[in-house]
Amino acid sequence: MSKKLGLTAAGAVLALSLAACGGGGAGSGTSNNSDKSAQDLSIGVSMPTQTSERWIADGKAVKSQLEKEGYTVTLQYANDDIPTQSQQVDQMITQGADALIIAAIDGTALSSQLDAAAAANIPVISYDRLIRDNENVDFYVSFDNFAVGVAQANALLTGLGVKNDNAPDGTATGPFNVELFAGSLDDNNAHFFFDGAMSILQPLIDDGTLVIKSGETKIEQVATLRWQQETAQKRMEDLLTGSYNDGSLVNGVLSPYDGLSRGIITALQNAGYGPTTEGGAKPMPIVTGQDAEIASVKLIDDGVQSSTIFKDTRKLAEQAVIAAKAFLEGKTPEANDTKTYDNGKKVVPSFLLPVETVFKDDIQTVLVDSGYWTAEEVKAGQAK
Ligand code: GAL
């Protein structure tokens, strides 16, 4: 039964008075659940895709942590297909979800769902990717996404040995041939990652330390629709044949996500890049990443990929659960950022988590000691 129908007159008065105290989200009537126990409340969790292992981990972590709190959970994946996600969220609303946690495929494609959620007083938590162009986003949980891009650029420079403030021991002056990749343009995060990275790289492009032989430096030129590994591989192949057929070598690749990094590395390997110790004449460039996906952690351990950015999805899930719980108890979740994430309609109160750069030497301390991956999983390059 929908929450609205279940609302008693007394509950309505309570809801109104709590709303007047500032409780509830943009959907506002969220406090009409504050007299219900967790067992009576259900939460819809909508995730983009199962092709990336990080979203599988996110889905599992959110579901199990919500269930631990006693909530009933509907978790759905949308195969990176926008109509599928819209339809899944529609269904969660009609089936009476009391709160929604959504990691959008396309940040601008869920407006009618968000309007419907607001009309039914269902609070919406935007998970990792900001939902844009709609005022009915009640809260945002994510990482410091600009800082991710900065960390990726610094990891690239550290790998190259370029001297800069963040790599004070570096002595290399270049010039280095570097190519840039970005994520999906419909994902708000892709812009933050790229802007963060370019805030560090642009001055070095301008002074000639870094050379982008393809000339492709705008996010529209380097973006990767839906973050597809194959698309990145294809673009890297095209870059190699188009801009490096004169015998010059790629020294570094800015990649914003491990899945893309693996596609890029495959293209490079197919073109003869690899470990020089094995007789190859073309050293594998410094390739960055993000998400600490297990296949990439193994590549880092093997010295193939240079770095990744670790974002602890367990902690992100925890923040999503804390926010959902607050809304369902008629409270406002605590934000630690109320400035950065303007979704085009409003600045969405956010809780942002910090990120960590992982090179080979950090795998043990950052990923294994924290229990994110076991040493066996790292060796196997596969989650158990
Ligand atoms: C982004 C996310 C990244 C990465 C990417 C591809 O939205 O912030 O961590 O997972 O999607 O899935």
Side-chain angles (χ1 to χ4, degrees), residues 54-55 128-129 187 189 193 227 257 290-291 311:
R54 88 145 272 196
W55 295 113
D128 199 37
R129 298 173 171 176
D187 179 347
N189 288 350
F193 301 151
W227 301 89
Y257 159 58
Q290 173 172 210
D291 285 348
K311 307 199 305 190

Side-chain angles (χ1 to χ4, degrees), residues 54-55 128-130 140 142-154 180-185 187-201 219 222 227 254-258 260 288-291 309-311 316 341 352-353 355:
R54 88 145 272 196
W55 295 113
D128 199 37
R129 298 173 171 176
L130 185 64
Y140 180 42
S142 189
F143 296 84
D144 184 338
N145 293 307
F146 190 87
V148 170
V150 168
Q152 285 168 338
N154 282 327
L180 311 172
F181 282 73
S184 199
L185 291 175
D187 179 347
N188 197 54
N189 288 350
H191 301 267
F192 275 79
F193 301 151
F194 194 70
D195 290 349
M198 289 309 265
S199 73
I200 300 292
L201 299 181
I219 191 168
V222 305
W227 301 89
L254 174 81
S255 167
Y257 159 58
D258 285 344
L260 303 191
T288 63
Q290 173 172 210
D291 285 348
I309 306 298
F310 174 48
K311 307 199 305 190
L316 185 60
Y341 287 97
L352 306 180
L353 292 157
V355 300

Side-chain angles (χ1 to χ4, degrees), residues 117-141:
N121 294 330
I122 301 169
V124 174
I125 296 158
S126 196
Y127 187 91
D128 199 37
R129 298 173 171 176
L130 185 64
I131 301 176
R132 293 192 52 88
D133 301 343
N134 190 291
E135 65 194 347
N136 300 312
V137 185
D138 297 287
F139 203 71
Y140 180 42
V141 292

Side-chain angles (χ1 to χ4, degrees), residues 41 58 113 182 325 370:
L41 297 168
D58 284 272
Q113 284 68 35
K325 206 169 165 228
S370 70

Side-chain angles (χ1 to χ4, degrees), residues 53 292-294 297 367-375 377-378 383:
E53 143 213 305
E293 292 200 329
I294 193 62
V297 176
L367 301 176
V368 177
D369 291 350
S370 70
Y372 199 74
W373 297 122
T374 64
E377 287 172 318
V378 173

